[in-house]
Amino acid sequence: MMTLALLGLLACYTAGILLPPCLPGRPKAQNILANGSAIAASLFGILLGVTGLLASAPLNASLPSTLPLLAFAIRIDPLAAFFVLTISLAGLAVSVYALGYLAEFYGRSPIGLMGSLYNGFLLSMTLVIIADNGFFFLIVWELMSLVSYVLVVTEHENADVRYAGLFYLIMTHVGTAFIILTFLIFFQQTGSFSFEAFRHPEQPLAEGLRTLAFLAALIGFGVKAGIVPLHVWLPYAHPAAPSHVSALMSGVMIKTAIYALLRVYFDFLGGQFPWWWGFTILAVGAASALLGVMYALMEHDLKSLLAFHSVENIGIILLGIGAGMIFQTYGLPELAALGLLAGLYHTINHALFKALLFLGAGSLLYATHTRNMEEYGGLLRRMPWTGFCFLIGAVSIAALPPTNGFVSEWLVFQSLFLSFHLPAVFLKLMLPIAAAILALTSALALACFAKAFGLSFLALPRSAHARHAEEVPVAMRLGMGGLAAACAFLGLAPMVVVPLLDRVTGPLAGVSIEGRVLALDGWAVAPTNVEFSSISTPAIAVMLIALAGLGLLLAWIFGGRLKRRAYKTWGCGITLTPRMEYTATGFVQPIKRVFSTLYRPTVKLETEFLDESQYFAKRRRFEFHIEPVFQKYLYDPVVLFFSAAAGRLRIIQTGNLNLYLAYIFVTLILLLLTAV
Amino acid sequence: MPAIDPHIGTQLVDLCSALLLLTCFAIVAQRRLSACVELFALQSGFLAATTALVAFLTGIHHLYLAAAMTVLIKGLVIPRILKKVIERLNVTRELQMNVNVPAGLLICGALVILAFFITQPIIPLGFLLTRDSLAIALAIVLIGFFTMIARKKAVTQVVGFLVMENGLFLGATAAAYGMPLIVELGVFFDVLVASLIVGIYTHRIQDAFDSLDTSQLTTLKE
């Protein structure tokens, strides 16, 4: 069954890569062919993921190659199967959406090429997950990075897009360098690039080498995951890509790094590590979560805002994993499994709601041709489907019950609060602090999505673009609707999700906790025991519906018959215009004030007066921007250093052919002399 | 095996090699471009003689073919191409040099000493009757390289490159009684194509800069 699903997946993606360019000049056929293949492949991927999670033994397969050390080996264990499932679920919805969305690009971009790359992107991500050979992994990892780079620069006429692509390319290659270092450490010890050898080395790694592997993997995969302070490429690259690709990059691609981190730490390093490893992950997670959401708040570009939220959510995932690692260190496997489970639950949730939100942003872009929230407004009436789906996504990412985001964040909270089981006082203090940071993060995320949804969909349209917006085609609505349904399902049915996740965390932590997490026949989730803390999302949903019904009932009883009278909103006697609305800048002004130490805002107010009098202003100009701290103090100095060094070295590049020959000649003579 | 005393054979090979080296010095000392090309043809003739001599002394017959190819391609075809280039571009003299002739000759002398110094530990290890030519071969390579550095005109740089190639060929003969035939044929073909391409490119340089002076190419740098 698994083999069949795997072969089907490979065949469909290959067809999706090869066929679209064979129909030049027929963009519609190319679009249907490319996304049809991707849909079929994703269905096979879902099948593969589910069967892989349920299978009793991992699937192994290998093709030898002519290159030494390289083997096209794959292995599908529960961990890999879970990520394949995540990728395929998001891939399915996004491909359906793309059927409609790509119409935007007809005649502007080569659809056949885009379709090929899109399929290649999905295929390379899947291969990254199931690769079982270090060499093979690096090849598909690089493939994933390069294909996504090409997709990012789809609209390369735009200078900003080219800059974003270049930034992404450089960052991802710095990351790859560190990943290669990680694998070389294992290779040096085992003499093989096979993951099986990494897993069971003949001699365990020396302590120093293990630490080096830990740090190199954290940096290498951290770049892809977008952890602070390596996140800087993310808000440039993700918005620059076409929306359906952004959805995959932000929702799924960064998760391949989470997968790889788990693979390295729990599989290759055997889940044995000093406490400070887990603490580092926790600290990185907390920093990413808080800073991600805080920068997201200041963004008025909807897609950049979402990209910053990916930083936040990666942080939340890492909080769960970090807590799990700490518990693992102190021999508390059940709690370790809980932390990992929480992190993985948030992983799949984020993949779904982030993809949904990016697709929603794509729909707004499709309808209004702008990403600037200040130019939206009043879109709910014009685009009710998109608005409703976006609302589901926003509620999920803001972790409001009873959605999926709430369940997983709640589990992360619980695993952080269980720190009282730890023997070390320092960590006993640190985990609740991380929980407090997570709480702040959630609150800010709520504010952020109140802003995003409110400004985009409510009140009056602020621009001609928004006034003329129309609902998007059916395929796009279908893609978003599917994801919205999946978000609701994952929130309401933890009893289905938790046992599946338990099959992933069981082998990693060495203990199954399904029975402990699920209570009341699976209708409630309780990390420790039912009395201490438990929660039931279906019950919350029922209660919310009941309360709403109750409110209506009371209104009907006490208020008499509902009468509807349509009249204009009262505006102090002035006709209401969009200029009176809350702006995005205004909305976040209080938060900006509170956290001005971090944002370091620059505010400029220029007033131009009438010639006759100083008391009447002719024009006022308000300018505001926040300082990109990491870019300014961490990246710019490095770039400047290398530019300066290159400038110094430039004097040897005269362009004179004779001189170049002389360099070679002198080198040759010196080498010959040293050889004697 | 021919009826010649191996000792005399070695002497003869050394003599021919020495003549090769002498032509190198002549090329460095020469200002007229067409004379440079003629000297290169002469050098190729000596190289062919050396190769034929080695073939005669050792009985490795495919070296005769290599010698014939040397005469044909390096002695006749390539010099003709280069002369065509010189004629068409109307450059007869190397007016500017990076290193003037006396200094160049001194440096070449130093390079020969260097070559002998470097190969000194290697030569006694060999057992071929041509082994002493190895030092000369290296000296020719170095002088060819030096010619490319010292001269500014593209044509002389090509000559320098071809001299290096001759040195390498002599080195192969000296160190291993020549390469396998297929490799040798490949090398001849490469050199021929390279000189054709170089001929075209010198035209291009002339068109672009109104001169064959390669130091003009500095304007191409960023």
Side-chain angles (χ1 to χ4, degrees):
Chain A
M1 190 70 171
M2 274 166 86
T3 328
L4 192 70
L6 179 67
L7 290 177
L9 175 138
L10 293 176
C12 288
Y13 278 138
T14 316
I17 294 169
L18 296 179
L19 294 181
C22 300
L23 297 169
R26 293 168 62 192
K28 197 163 183 194
Q30 287 177 328
N31 178 11
I32 290 171
L33 203 54
N35 288 307
S37 313
I39 289 169
S42 304
L43 288 171
F44 277 116
I46 292 170
L47 183 66
L48 181 67
V50 173
T51 48
L53 277 174
L54 297 175
S56 50
L59 173 76
N60 283 302
S62 182
L63 275 177
S65 78
T66 47
L67 283 182
L69 300 173
L70 171 68
F72 300 105
I74 59 165
R75 181 171 191 269
I76 304 174
D77 57 2
L79 179 63
F82 169 70
F83 279 92
V84 169
L85 180 64
T86 309
I87 292 173
S88 304
L89 276 175
L92 176 64
V94 172
S95 304
V96 171
Y97 176 90
L99 275 173
Y101 184 70
L102 275 182
E104 179 89 329
F105 291 87
Y106 288 170
R108 277 205 293 148
S109 303
I111 299 292
L113 181 64
M114 272 175 85
S116 283
L117 288 168
Y118 176 76
N119 277 285
F121 186 39
L122 279 166
L123 176 64
S124 59
M125 283 196 290
T126 313
L127 287 178
V128 161
I129 301 298
I130 62 178
D132 198 39
N133 176 288
F135 217 136
F136 182 37
F137 179 94
L138 284 173
I139 291 173
V140 286
W141 180 269
E142 271 301 272
L143 201 64
M144 177 177 85
S145 303
L146 292 176
V147 170
S148 52
Y149 162 74
V150 180
L151 283 168
V152 165
V153 295
T154 301
E155 291 168 85
H156 52 82
E157 315 76 59
N158 191 337
D160 287 347
V161 171
R162 288 200 300 273
Y163 175 77
L166 183 67
F167 202 164
Y168 170 49
L169 201 62
I170 292 170
M171 288 299 287
T172 188
H173 278 96
V174 170
T176 306
F178 280 94
I179 296 169
I180 292 174
L181 176 64
T182 314
F183 284 163
L184 283 180
I185 291 168
F186 289 111
F187 171 70
Q188 185 218 22
Q189 191 71 18
T190 59
S192 160
F193 266 113
S194 151
F195 279 0
E196 195 52 42
F198 290 0
R199 223 169 264 138
H200 305 291
E202 284 168 22
Q203 290 162 333
L205 262 68
E207 199 50 50
L209 280 180
R210 283 168 60 88
T211 306
L212 191 61
F214 164 74
L215 290 174
L218 181 61
I219 297 172
F221 294 117
V223 171
K224 189 64 92 183
I227 60 172
V228 168
L230 305 171
H231 67 283
V232 283
W233 62 273
L234 213 138
Y236 289 104
H238 288 192
S243 298
H244 63 300
V245 177
S246 315
L248 284 183
M249 284 182 77
S250 222
V252 187
M253 184 183 76
I254 57 175
K255 303 297 164 25
T256 58
I258 296 290
Y259 158 79
L261 283 178
L262 285 175
R263 181 64 82 197
V264 171
Y265 295 163
F266 280 87
D267 214 3
F268 300 163
L269 295 171
Q272 307 289 320
F273 19 72
W275 66 269
W276 66 268
W277 287 23
F279 177 70
T280 308
I281 300 282
L282 194 76
V284 164
S288 301
L290 189 58
L291 290 173
V293 74
M294 285 178 70
Y295 281 114
L297 262 168
M298 293 299 132
E299 274 300 334
H300 303 329
D301 176 329
L302 186 54
K303 284 175 81 178
S304 301
L305 179 145
L306 292 175
F308 270 119
H309 269 286
S310 292
V311 177
E312 177 220 335
N313 281 287
I314 281 290
I316 295 173
I317 293 168
L318 287 181
L319 279 176
I321 292 173
M325 286 173 74
I326 290 175
F327 289 129
Q328 182 83 355
T329 306
Y330 288 99
L332 299 164
E334 293 196 330
L335 298 181
L338 178 68
L340 289 178
L341 193 142
L344 289 178
Y345 204 154
H346 200 69
T347 303
I348 190 164
N349 287 344
H350 178 245
L352 295 175
F353 59 63
K354 185 47 64 66
L356 170 57
L357 289 167
F358 259 113
L359 296 188
S363 297
L364 296 186
L365 185 61
Y366 185 91
T368 64
H369 305 286
T370 173
R371 300 196 317 227
N372 188 351
M373 280 194 287
E374 306 270 26
E375 295 183 31
Y376 292 162
L379 290 173
L380 191 60
R381 192 176 295 168
R382 289 165 181 79
M383 307 170 69
W385 286 89
T386 307
F388 180 70
C389 292
F390 193 90
L391 181 64
I392 301 260
V395 169
S396 300
I397 199 171
L400 293 179
T403 54
N404 57 351
F406 167 72
V407 181
S408 50
E409 276 196 38
W410 185 77
L411 280 172
V412 173
F413 265 118
Q414 290 300 323
S415 55
L416 290 174
F417 280 133
L418 289 171
S419 64
F420 62 81
H421 290 285
L422 290 173
V425 179
F426 176 67
L427 292 174
K428 259 186 197 171
L429 284 173
M430 279 302 142
L431 265 68
I433 289 177
I437 292 175
L438 180 56
L440 177 59
T441 304
S442 306
L444 291 174
L446 185 57
C448 191
F449 276 91
K451 164 187 151 183
F453 184 80
L455 288 166
S456 307
F457 288 99
L458 305 180
L460 295 170
R462 291 160 213 269
S463 69
H465 292 309
R467 261 196 300 282
H468 298 131
E470 279 172 26
E471 185 55 278
V472 292
V474 180
M476 291 167 72
R477 278 185 257 165
L478 206 60
M480 289 188 289
L483 283 172
C487 283
F489 176 77
L490 284 186
L492 292 174
M495 58 281 202
V496 179
V497 185
V498 169
L500 286 178
L501 287 174
D502 185 56
R503 300 188 64 89
V504 181
T505 55
L508 296 182
V511 61
S512 166
I513 53 162
E514 181 188 336
R516 266 188 71 157
V517 175
L518 291 180
L520 305 176
D521 295 334
W523 289 101
V525 180
T528 39
N529 56 48
V530 182
E531 286 78 33
F532 181 69
S533 63
S534 64
I535 201 154
S536 171
T537 38
I540 294 177
V542 170
M543 265 159 55
L544 284 174
I545 293 168
L547 278 175
L550 191 67
L552 284 177
L553 191 71
L554 287 175
W556 189 70
I557 291 170
F558 294 107
R561 293 290 298 275
L562 290 173
K563 264 187 274 175
R564 183 183 271 186
R565 189 175 57 165
Y567 196 71
K568 275 189 281 186
T569 314
W570 185 63
C572 301
I574 306 172
T575 321
L576 286 172
T577 69
R579 298 200 54 174
M580 296 171 186
E581 288 171 31
Y582 228 141
T583 61
T585 318
F587 192 93
V588 295
Q589 186 65 23
I591 297 166
K592 194 159 57 200
R593 281 276 161 80
V594 173
F595 296 109
S596 59
T597 16
L598 173 81
Y599 291 132
R600 298 161 184 273
T602 316
V603 182
K604 226 158 89 185
L605 184 64
E606 280 170 8
T607 314
E608 207 178 314
F609 294 105
L610 283 175
D611 294 336
E612 295 83 34
S613 164
Q614 283 281 304
Y615 299 101
F616 297 99
K618 195 160 72 181
R619 185 182 296 134
R620 282 228 158 117
R621 224 176 88 79
F622 177 73
E623 197 183 298
F624 156 77
H625 51 88
I626 61 170
E627 196 172 274
V629 175
F630 289 101
Q631 218 162 332
K632 191 164 174 188
Y633 295 105
L634 200 65
Y635 289 85
D636 286 356
V638 176
V639 172
L640 278 178
F641 170 76
F642 278 107
S643 303
R648 290 273 170 77
L649 284 175
R650 206 163 151 179
I651 51 166
I652 67 169
Q653 188 216 7
T654 55
N656 187 336
L657 197 64
N658 300 91
L659 197 60
Y660 291 162
L661 286 169
Y663 293 151
I664 302 172
F665 191 60
V666 169
T667 315
L668 177 71
I669 298 277
L670 287 176
L671 282 177
L672 282 172
L673 282 175
T674 48
V676 173
Chain B
M1 203 65 191
I4 286 187
D5 182 3
H7 187 67
I8 298 173
T10 310
Q11 293 284 327
L12 282 172
V13 172
D14 283 353
L15 176 67
C16 278
S17 314
L19 288 171
L20 266 161
L21 187 58
L22 198 63
T23 48
C24 282
F25 275 91
I27 288 172
V28 173
Q30 187 56 256
R31 279 170 180 275
R32 270 177 51 232
L33 292 182
S34 59
C36 275
V37 175
E38 279 156 16
L39 282 166
F40 166 71
L42 181 64
Q43 188 186 48
S44 303
F46 285 134
L47 180 64
T50 318
T51 316
L53 193 59
V54 172
F56 176 68
L57 292 172
T58 59
I60 300 172
H61 295 296
H62 80 75
L63 281 179
Y64 284 121
L65 189 58
M69 298 284 283
T70 308
V71 172
L72 185 69
I73 292 177
K74 288 184 182 165
L76 299 172
V77 178
I78 294 179
R80 193 152 294 179
I81 294 172
L82 287 178
K83 283 208 160 172
K84 275 255 168 68
V85 171
I86 292 170
E87 256 172 49
R88 191 170 304 172
L89 301 182
N90 201 14
V91 279
T92 50
R93 275 172 187 281
E94 176 83 66
L95 293 174
Q96 304 123 328
M97 300 186 187
N98 288 324
V99 182
N100 65 21
V101 173
L105 286 173
L106 280 175
I107 290 172
C108 287
L111 287 177
V112 173
I113 296 168
L114 186 76
F116 272 87
F117 172 68
I118 288 167
T119 46
Q120 205 179 20
I122 312 168
I123 286 175
L125 302 175
F127 50 85
L128 306 178
L129 56 86
T130 47
R131 64 190 185 188
D132 292 330
S133 314
L134 194 62
I136 294 175
L138 182 60
I140 293 170
V141 171
L142 291 178
I143 292 173
F145 208 148
F146 174 73
T147 318
M148 292 177 78
I149 297 171
R151 302 302 185 88
K152 284 190 173 171
K153 287 262 160 47
V155 178
T156 17
Q157 284 174 346
V158 176
V159 172
F161 172 75
L162 291 167
V163 167
M164 275 179 80
E165 217 284 318
N166 274 351
L168 287 173
F169 198 90
L170 179 66
T173 316
Y177 288 158
M179 296 164 277
L181 184 61
I182 187 79
V183 179
E184 256 155 29
L185 292 178
V187 169
F188 280 121
F189 186 68
D190 280 353
V191 171
L192 185 61
V193 171
S195 51
L196 283 171
I197 292 172
V198 162
I200 295 164
Y201 269 93
T202 41
H203 281 281
R204 292 268 155 173
I205 295 173
Q206 174 80 358
D207 286 349
F209 297 99
D210 288 332
S211 150
L212 278 186
D213 188 345
T214 52
S215 55
Q216 301 269 332
L217 297 177
T218 44
T219 48
L220 292 179
K221 95 168 176 149
E222 240 188 293

